Amino acid sequence: MDLRPNNDGVSLDRVAATVGAPDLDAGQGGTAVELASIIVRGICVDSRKIQAGDLFAALPGENVHGARFAEAAVRDGAVALLTDRAGAALVGPELCPMLIVADPRAQVGAAASQIYGDPSADLLLFAVTGTNGKTTTTWLLEAGLREAGHITGLVGTVETRIAGAPVPSVRTTPEAPELHALLAVMRERGVTAVAIEVSSHALALGRVDGCLFDVAGFTQFGSDHLDFHGTVDHYFNAKARLFTPDHARAGVVCVDSAGGRRLLGLTRIPTTSLSTDSRGSASQPGDRADWQVSKVTSRASGGYAFTLSGPGQTTSDVAVALPGRFNIANASLALAMLQTAGVDEHEARTGIEKCRGVPGRMEAIDGGQGFVALVDYAHTPDALDAVLTSLRPDVAKRLIVVMGCGGDRDPTKRGSMGEVAATLGDIVIVTDDNPRFENPAAIRAAVLAGARSVMSAHTARIEEIAGRAKAMARAVAIAGPGDAVVVAGKGHEQGQEIDGHVYPFDDRVVLREALLGLVGNDDDVQRGVGGGVEANGLTPEDRPRPQEEK
């Protein structure tokens, strides 16, 4: 995604003042007075995406400094560099003017905001962070805003939308230059309100710097992304950065998780608490949250109805059409955020009720089979626990779970994922997720170890099947009336990453094909007899090579 607004730009000397560059090397541009005549029309951190008139932010990287690509950037139209002393030393003053600061990444957001005319100031802006629930909450926010008459924008994992028109999402939260350019494009196209997923990576790397959100929301907190953050505390602290005056005017924090209760005591902006626990829960045991859910009932048409009581004795009768009790918290958070921003309560909750779901989030797949089949993005222990716990009461017979873990990501959660699946599922099929550059068998072994560690207390049957499509086929083959099949981990993703290649693979498509094949097969297969896979998984010589999973 590299959308750019129509932009007159700003002079380079003004950008220099914004980033506080104590060192400005004029290079071939001459004096600082002459730099005032250089107009910057965009900013980019990726030299391959440079457009004429851009400021190239040459940032220090994990393996290589961005300044090594400065010549290519200038050749493609960059008019100046924003970098540090190390980057400047790699380039030399003769290439182009340079703005030299100690931490260029920390200045990219402010520069992007200025270059694109501070677009976030002209939009009603919502941010949602937390380990799980970000995507669904932003979709519910957008639905409420749309019902209230706003022209909406959405930025997130599954999709980015501008006034209802989708554009591809590369990551949950774009880099700061891309985000500010995107907001400026939204402004051009008449968008008035935007809901944005904000990941911990985005906060740690300054991707939302320069944006001031009207309301920030916190879903819940669990362990994830420790491969990047190192420790749970560092991960938590990254999330907490959103609830500071530099990033948000007000906040709503769900205190159902210990992380939410911890955050509530640390926020530096006006913040209200939200609880779905009928006993009430806030920073201290026995405290009553500002927003409180009560009178929860399941609806015959699907989803839930409940009452949300808010500050000032306000009460709303709310309905959410999405399956999974955790969506009560997501819908409550969305409504509380909208009301905090002054959006009409009736219109907000009407929009939330109309929202019919998010691709790959508790998405039902119908191939004419006689049992429930769902795909969900759950790829953390907490998310998997929430999905399976939510489904358990409604499954008459067996809960069949197909799951694995990604490679080159936080390895500490693999055993926990296996434990959760084996604790809550009746049949657990451990398979491959996105192995990336790791050995898939080693990842499966870590998940299996966690699953088997709880076998003394639980009676789940555990199988190992290499090849995600074969694992789904196995689950479908053994399922029957009253069962539920849950394929967890990849959700909306449309590719599988193996050894540096992304092969086309969509859990929803593959599962539907398996279900359609089941309905078309003979009675033995429909009863779960056969399927070509033994209960203990494939033998090593039968296991498919990665390229078979294209």
Side-chain angles (χ1 to χ4, degrees), residues 1-2 4 44 46-51 54 170 178:
M1 179 178 65
D2 192 27
R4 297 290 188 97
C44 195
D46 187 338
S47 62
R48 297 166 295 185
K49 297 179 180 179
I50 286 291
Q51 297 185 20
D54 277 358
V170 176
E178 294 176 347

Side-chain angles (χ1 to χ4, degrees), residues 10 40 58 63 120 138 194 218 227 236 251 283 291 306 418 458 484 535 549:
V10 297
V40 180
N63 300 309
S120 67
T138 55
V194 184
F218 186 86
D227 54 309
F236 175 85
S283 58
W291 300 90
F306 58 93
H458 302 276
E549 281 292 307

Side-chain angles (χ1 to χ4, degrees), residues 38-102:
I38 297 175
I39 302 302
V40 180
R41 291 185 169 82
I43 179 171
C44 195
V45 298
D46 187 338
S47 62
R48 297 166 295 185
K49 297 179 180 179
I50 286 291
Q51 297 185 20
D54 277 358
L55 173 66
F56 175 44
L59 309 179
E62 201 170 312
N63 300 309
V64 64
H65 201 293
R68 293 194 178 277
F69 306 100
E71 288 189 20
V74 171
R75 187 168 57 247
D76 289 339
V79 295
L81 262 62
L82 171 64
T83 192
D84 56 12
R85 273 286 159 203
L90 290 170
V91 175
E94 67 282 351
L95 182 66
C96 66
M98 290 185 287
L99 311 182
I100 305 169
V101 296

Side-chain angles (χ1 to χ4, degrees), residues 145-288:
L145 289 165
R146 191 167 52 243
E147 186 70 20
H150 282 281
I151 300 173
T152 59
L154 178 76
V155 181
T157 306
V158 173
E159 194 171 72
T160 293
R161 288 198 292 266
I162 303 174
V167 296
S169 289
V170 176
R171 53 173 62 91
T172 299
T173 315
E175 288 281 3
E178 294 176 347
L179 178 60
H180 285 280
L182 175 62
L183 294 176
V185 169
M186 289 182 176
R187 180 177 59 187
E188 279 183 354
R189 298 184 186 177
V191 168
T192 57
V194 184
I196 301 178
E197 284 184 61
V198 180
S199 67
S200 59
H201 290 73
L203 288 158
L205 296 173
R207 291 178 187 162
V208 293
D209 288 359
C211 292
L212 184 60
F213 295 95
D214 292 280
V215 185
F218 186 86
T219 57
Q220 58 81 243
F221 185 78
S223 178
D224 199 13
H225 302 304
L226 300 192
D227 54 309
F228 176 79
H229 295 286
T231 69
V232 172
D233 277 345
H234 287 162
Y235 175 50
F236 175 85
N237 290 336
K239 297 283 189 188
R241 289 181 190 177
L242 184 60
F243 295 83
T244 60
D246 287 340
H247 288 108
R249 293 186 173 93
V252 181
V253 173
C254 181
V255 293
D256 288 348
S257 68
R261 294 189 290 276
R262 178 185 173 191
L263 176 64
L264 188 63
L266 298 175
T267 59
R268 294 166 47 201
I269 56 176
T271 304
T272 54
S273 58
L274 162 71
S275 176
T276 66
D277 186 340
S278 60
R279 295 166 297 179
S281 176
S283 58
Q284 298 295 327
D287 285 354
R288 191 78 175 170

Side-chain angles (χ1 to χ4, degrees), residues 489-511:
K490 289 173 59 60
H492 65 285
E493 292 178 359
Q494 297 179 35
Q496 188 175 31
E497 298 181 49
I498 304 170
D499 289 333
H501 300 281
V502 179
Y503 299 105
F505 195 101
D506 188 323
D507 279 358
R508 299 164 296 175
V509 173
V510 175
L511 181 57

Side-chain angles (χ1 to χ4, degrees), residues 263-342:
L263 176 64
L264 188 63
L266 298 175
T267 59
R268 294 166 47 201
I269 56 176
T271 304
T272 54
S273 58
L274 162 71
S275 176
T276 66
D277 186 340
S278 60
R279 295 166 297 179
S281 176
S283 58
Q284 298 295 327
D287 285 354
R288 191 78 175 170
D290 300 302
W291 300 90
Q292 186 67 54
V293 170
S294 61
K295 301 178 183 177
V296 176
T297 58
S298 298
R299 302 196 313 168
S301 59
Y304 306 90
F306 58 93
T307 297
L308 179 63
S309 303
Q313 305 302 310
T314 58
T315 301
S316 301
D317 292 323
V318 189
V320 58
L322 312 184
R325 291 185 69 89
F326 47 82
N327 279 317
I328 297 170
N330 293 334
S332 301
L333 179 60
L335 183 55
M337 292 175 67
L338 290 168
Q339 288 189 247
T340 299

